[in-house]
Amino acid sequence: MIAADLPAVMVAAAAVHPAYPEDQAVFAERLRLAPSGCHVLAGERGLLCGYLISHPWPAGAVPALNSLLGVLPEGETNWYLHDLALLPAARGTGAASAIVSKLVEQVARTGYRSVALVAVNGSAGFWRRHGFAEVAEAALAEKLATYDAAACYMRRERM
């Protein structure tokens, strides 16, 4: 992902996650802070058909939606998958599985021991197929409630 991709990323975000709106500044900051964790998925004719935003973040914690981080914490061994979104044309193509596998391999090579995320919109089954498991973090209950009733914190420990 590069800064020029952000307008198309915002269009995709609005289409895929209308219940979780975030400002372009949030995506721009994640790209600036962790460019290696930000990817676009190209579909037919090179048009954006999805994206992935991720960055280092403490295990057992979730950044607030639509909030700037300022800086990334140092010394973390956990990588946080902030957002994965695919437009309808990309669903069922294997694009999501491919980018998740690529991300897991990438962060494992750079020394991270886990990847975490919040599963929303009934996506927990997809994440389980990729080695993620639900982790009960009582401290996250209030934050998870800001997503949806089925939202759950998940982490993949074995890289």
Side-chain angles (χ1 to χ4, degrees):
M1 182 183 294
I2 60 173
D5 294 321
L6 290 175
V9 167
M10 296 308 297
V11 169
V16 176
H17 298 303
Y20 313 112
E22 294 192 282
D23 297 333
Q24 185 168 323
V26 171
F27 290 96
E29 182 194 54
R30 301 301 197 275
L31 176 59
R32 182 179 55 77
L33 293 174
S36 68
C38 299
H39 304 271
V40 292
L41 307 172
E44 292 183 22
R45 299 185 314 267
L47 297 175
L48 183 136
C49 65
Y51 65 86
L52 182 143
I53 305 284
S54 65
H55 53 82
W57 201 251
V62 174
L65 283 172
N66 201 29
S67 65
L68 297 175
L69 303 176
V71 297
L72 293 175
E74 294 196 25
E76 290 302 326
T77 60
N78 182 68
W79 195 266
Y80 182 73
L81 200 161
H82 176 81
D83 194 4
L84 172 62
L86 273 79
L87 291 170
R91 294 184 189 144
T93 66
S97 292
I99 193 63
V100 169
S101 294
K102 179 181 176 179
L103 178 72
V104 168
E105 290 170 13
Q106 172 189 323
V107 300
R109 277 193 316 271
T110 54
Y112 290 88
R113 294 191 300 244
S114 61
V115 179
L117 56 89
V118 174
V120 296
N121 298 330
S123 64
F126 170 84
W127 295 111
R128 279 188 213 99
R129 289 190 299 276
H130 290 280
F132 289 80
E134 293 179 36
V135 178
E137 295 280 355
L140 290 178
E142 188 174 322
K143 191 166 286 184
L144 290 174
T146 66
Y147 289 87
D148 63 48
C152 61
Y153 181 74
M154 301 183 82
R155 192 164 52 234
R156 178 176 170 164
E157 299 286 348
R158 292 177 304 280
M159 306 293 282

